[in-house]
């Protein structure tokens, strides 16, 4: 039976918006259907920053954030048969129990048991945390908590991957890059030669553009309020840029004029409801498909005229790019290994774990797409 791991480093968020503090924590053994993972590399996603700032949701502190990472299985709990110590894994913020109706469906990846729950700071098995300091529990974050040298994760939230894949690169596939890339290739499904509009050119939007590039889109129109993002987006296949602030009419009208009636596909990656409406209304009637990726404010209301649907436009939503973590993410890693998917261009910065707060600074200043944090083993 694995024992408690004592005195290992974790970056703890003690209160909202304050720098993370490096602490020595205790990490309990994995319980039933749980796995303890030695994290080697983690990266910072905007979702970590959002919950660290705690401006739009329930503050839960002290907490160990982090959910994009790569590591190696250290020990397994009762009932775990798919993984053994030494396996290379990517922890994922949502899971795949393989037993619920969603997991058995070929169309859904929204597992009933392990779907993301940002308000749950404990493990499902017993409602307790596996992290503590001086006997006091520290909360988990979305079932992963990768800002720690060791973490405990439900087996259903771990994708077993090719051990030859470099963890400092493929770790970014455990959240944002897969979300955007999958939204395009799995849900929007643009055909070769089609036109695609991407709203929001952060990491997820750039991944959506990359999906359009890989799919052979002839025109990829990037829409963003920050003109500094446009040059960088060319690396991801974006061919044209639209800044809504440059026009005195709705951006959907601008895009319709640029594309002789609208784009074939659009992917919205901002979470702002106005952008969502624009993304839907800018697709061509008869065949246009708009895919919503961004998470809106809880009070947001989506308004559009019903004729936009009756004129045969399609509106879809997606969660984690429609990927099932355990079944599908290993194959996405293979796309990288086969050079079908480029990850290096998403990685703009690297810092050692002891300097994790620099990663927050880079993101808050808008300087990074992804910053890799090396755990310094």
């Amino acid at each position: 039976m694995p024992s408690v791991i004592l005195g290992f480093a974790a970056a703890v968020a003690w209160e909202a918006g304050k720098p993370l503090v490096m602490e020595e924590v205790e990490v309990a053994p994995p319980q039933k259907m749980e796995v303890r993972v030695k994290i080697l590399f983690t990266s910072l996603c905007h979702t970590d920053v959002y919950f660290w700032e705690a401006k739009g949701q329930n503050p839960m502190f002290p907490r160990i954030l982090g959910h994009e990472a790569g590591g190696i299985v250290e020990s397994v709990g009762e009932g775990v048969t798919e993984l053994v110590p030494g396996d290379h894994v990517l922890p994922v913020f949502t899971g795949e129990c393989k037993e619920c109706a969603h997991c058995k469906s070929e169309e859904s990846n929204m597992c009933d048991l392990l779907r993301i729950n940002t308000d749950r700071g404990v493990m499902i098995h017993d409602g307790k945390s596996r992290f503590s300091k001086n006997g006091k529990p520290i909360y988990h974050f979305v079932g992963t908590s990768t800002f720690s040298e060791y973490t405990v994760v439900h087996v259903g939230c771990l994708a077993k991957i090719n051990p030859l894949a470099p963890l400092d690169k493929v770790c970014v596939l455990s959240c944002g890059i897969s979300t955007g890339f999958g939204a395009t290739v799995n849900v929007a499904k643009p055909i070769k030669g089609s036109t695609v509009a991407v709203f929001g050119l952060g990491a997820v939007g750039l991944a959506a553009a990359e999906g359009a590039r890989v799919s052979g889109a002839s025109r990829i129109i990037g829409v963003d309020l920050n003109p500094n993002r446009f040059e960088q987006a060319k690396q991801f296949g974006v061919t044209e840029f639209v800044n809504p602030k440059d026009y005195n009419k709705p951006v959907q009208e601008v895009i319709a004029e640029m594309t002789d009636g609208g784009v074939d596909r659009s992917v919205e990656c901002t979470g702002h409801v106005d952008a969502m409406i624009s993304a839907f209304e800018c697709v061509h009637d008869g065949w246009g498909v708009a895919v919503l990726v961004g998470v809106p404010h809880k009070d947001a209301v989506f308004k559009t005229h019903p004729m936009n649907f009756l004129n045969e436009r399609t509106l879809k939503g997606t969660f984690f790019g429609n990927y099932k973590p355990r079944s599908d993410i290993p194959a996405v890693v293979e796309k990288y290994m086969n050079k079908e998917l480029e990850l290096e261009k998403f990685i703009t910065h690297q810092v050692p774990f002891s300097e994790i707060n620099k990663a927050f600074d880079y993101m808050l200043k808008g300087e990074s797409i992804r910053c890799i944090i090396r755990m310094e083993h």
Side-chain angles (χ1 to χ4, degrees), residues 177-257:
I177 310 310
S178 294
T179 295
F181 188 81
T184 302
V185 299
N186 295 337
V187 187
K189 297 179 180 175
I191 61 173
K192 190 171 184 178
S194 58
T195 53
V196 179
V198 177
F199 286 72
L201 297 176
V204 176
L206 293 175
E210 180 77 357
R213 183 189 72 78
V214 168
S215 300
S218 61
R219 296 174 70 186
I220 303 172
I221 301 168
V223 184
D224 202 292
L225 298 173
N226 181 354
N228 296 331
R229 287 180 161 175
F230 293 163
E231 193 62 35
Q232 187 176 51
K234 291 178 183 176
Q235 298 179 59
F236 300 85
V238 174
T239 56
E240 298 153 76
F241 305 101
V242 174
N243 185 336
K245 291 191 288 190
D246 292 343
Y247 301 89
N248 56 9
K249 57 185 171 183
V251 70
Q252 53 266 48
E253 293 181 19
V254 175
I255 292 172
E257 289 173 8

Side-chain angles (χ1 to χ4, degrees), residues 8 38 59 141 143 145 160 201 241 247 278 307:
F8 278 91
K38 181 180 185 177
F141 178 63
S145 292
K160 179 182 175 181
L201 297 176
F241 305 101
Y247 301 89
S278 297
M307 283 306 298

Side-chain angles (χ1 to χ4, degrees), residues 78-90:
E78 178 190 344
V80 175
T81 56
E82 290 186 22
L83 294 172
V84 297
D87 283 343
H88 287 219
V89 291
L90 302 183

Side-chain angles (χ1 to χ4, degrees), residues 278-357:
S278 297
F280 176 54
E281 294 183 354
C282 83
V283 299
H284 206 291
D285 58 4
W287 62 79
V289 178
V291 178
L292 305 186
V293 181
V295 180
H297 187 275
K298 60 181 176 61
D299 298 324
V301 177
F302 186 102
K303 291 182 179 179
T304 192
H305 197 282
M307 283 306 298
N308 288 321
F309 292 99
L310 298 176
N311 287 336
E312 299 186 2
R313 292 178 182 87
T314 299
L315 180 65
K316 292 184 171 186
T318 181
F319 172 72
F320 191 48
N322 204 228
Y323 287 119
K324 294 178 187 279
R326 296 158 91 181
S327 300
D328 298 335
I329 293 303
V332 183
V333 170
E334 292 308 312
K335 280 185 182 294
Y336 168 75
M337 297 296 281
N338 297 334
K339 297 184 168 50
E340 298 170 48
L341 172 61
E342 298 173 20
L343 295 179
E344 283 81 359
K345 59 191 177 186
F346 289 97
I347 299 167
T348 52
H349 296 77
Q350 292 202 29
V351 297
F353 190 32
S354 58
E355 298 176 18
I356 189 171
N357 288 302

Side-chain angles (χ1 to χ4, degrees), residues 144-206:
T144 53
S145 292
T146 61
F147 294 167
S148 174
E149 289 186 291
Y150 287 87
T151 187
V152 177
V153 181
H154 191 285
V155 66
C157 296
L158 290 169
K160 179 182 175 181
I161 64 164
N162 183 344
L164 299 179
L167 290 172
D168 60 333
K169 306 293 191 301
V170 298
C171 63
V172 299
L173 291 173
S174 54
C175 178
I177 310 310
S178 294
T179 295
F181 188 81
T184 302
V185 299
N186 295 337
V187 187
K189 297 179 180 175
I191 61 173
K192 190 171 184 178
S194 58
T195 53
V196 179
V198 177
F199 286 72
L201 297 176
V204 176
L206 293 175

